[in-house]
Amino acid sequence: MLKDGARRLAGEAVHRAYALIRRLGEISPASPGGKRFHHLGEGVCIAFPQGAIFGEPWISVGAHTLVGTHVSISAGFVPGLDLGPDVIVKIGESCSIGRGSHIVGHQSIVIGDDVFTGPYVYITDQNHTYAQIDAPIGRQWPENSAVEIGDGCWLGTGSIILPGTKLGRNVAVAGGAVVRGEFPDNCVIAGVPAKMVRRYDSEEGWLPPLKNKPQLITAEELALLSVEGMRGLQELQDKLREENEADRARREQAG
């Protein structure tokens, strides 16, 4: 049995080695893995360990997009296929793809700029068919239908985006929703199958009305996020905690 001191040192060594492995295993525009993609923009990072990634020549990722660990991104059925001249999976700029998510493209998946997902989101443009009742479903030719996700959308944890889906700008998808069909800009969708549960009207505002007043990130807060390393994030976290404590004190005084 290792003594406490030796165990601590061994543990620190393991964690430092794993942190180094994760850094070295990241896919970026300058890494060997990054050069296989159709396009990886400046600042793209696909975290290590990755999920299944193949069909890279038909995958494009815009600048400053972050892809979490264990994310699978694929074009085509298997590696090595010639999929033609067009990009099949296009992810825009400044997106964040949550860990464990799957983006599975065969015809066309277009994800706009500033799209954020929770973990374990599934997006595909292909589905099995079942029309032939005398043949196993897995032996019937699948059907493709293009997917488009507009700028600024948020896809909640575990949501599923099925073939033929088209989301407008700034659509919020609830966690666990199963989405198929077309939805307009500035709405909230939820459920299985997903339906619109809130929308924005140019004259009446949000319907049904929002309970809480929306808050925007200020220029000062954006500047903190741009500070190199963890310092900016820590300063922002401290600022948010102070605001929460002040808000709680005001409520206690009013009560």
Side-chain angles (χ1 to χ4, degrees):
M1 296 293 291
L2 291 173
K3 294 183 178 179
D4 289 344
R7 182 184 295 275
R8 179 176 57 80
L9 291 174
E12 290 177 356
V14 168
H15 286 290
R16 287 175 182 170
Y18 184 63
L20 177 60
I21 290 170
R22 290 187 61 178
R23 286 197 299 272
L24 295 175
E26 292 174 352
I27 296 176
S28 68
S31 69
K35 298 183 185 303
R36 294 196 291 268
F37 285 76
H38 176 84
H39 173 71
L40 286 189
E42 178 187 359
V44 168
C45 177
I46 302 177
F48 180 87
Q50 294 91 25
I53 296 180
F54 58 84
E56 292 96 323
W58 293 271
I59 299 172
S60 173
V61 184
H64 307 296
T65 284
L66 303 178
V67 179
T69 59
H70 304 287
V71 171
S72 294
I73 308 175
S74 63
F77 288 105
V78 294
L81 297 178
D82 184 352
L83 305 177
D86 300 325
V87 171
I88 289 176
V89 175
K90 182 178 181 182
I91 303 172
E93 297 184 358
S94 302
C95 295
S96 178
I97 309 300
R99 65 184 181 278
S101 294
H102 288 64
I103 302 173
V104 182
H106 296 270
Q107 176 183 336
S108 175
I109 295 176
V110 177
I111 298 173
D113 298 335
D114 301 299
V115 172
F116 285 66
T117 87
Y120 310 112
V121 168
Y122 187 84
I123 304 169
T124 186
D125 62 359
Q126 185 178 89
N127 212 344
H128 293 284
T129 58
Y130 50 83
Q132 301 178 42
I133 61 173
D134 56 348
I137 291 174
R139 294 180 183 273
Q140 299 184 42
W141 280 105
E143 292 182 349
N144 298 334
S145 187
V147 168
E148 184 177 340
I149 298 171
D151 296 346
C153 288
W154 161 254
L155 310 182
T157 300
S159 56
I160 298 173
I161 310 299
L162 293 174
T165 294
K166 183 176 181 180
L167 302 182
R169 295 178 65 257
N170 292 347
V171 175
V173 179
V178 178
V179 184
R180 187 166 195 168
E182 298 190 12
F183 295 89
D185 296 349
N186 304 310
C187 69
V188 180
I189 58 179
V192 182
K195 297 179 180 179
M196 187 162 55
V197 296
R198 177 172 273 129
R199 63 183 177 87
Y200 184 80
D201 182 86
S202 58
E203 295 183 358
E204 300 184 59
W206 283 101
L207 300 171
L210 297 172
K211 294 181 179 179
N212 300 317
K213 184 179 178 181
Q215 294 183 342
L216 297 177
I217 296 177
T218 66
E220 179 187 1
E221 290 165 342
L222 284 173
L224 286 175
L225 288 175
S226 68
V227 174
E228 183 178 357
M230 292 294 291
R231 185 167 63 85
L233 287 173
Q234 186 61 60
E235 289 183 21
L236 180 58
Q237 180 65 55
D238 293 343
K239 182 176 183 294
L240 291 173
R241 186 171 59 250
E242 290 172 2
E243 289 177 356
N244 288 337
E245 290 173 352
D247 185 58
R248 184 169 58 248
R250 284 193 296 269
R251 288 199 306 269
E252 290 175 352
Q253 270 189 336

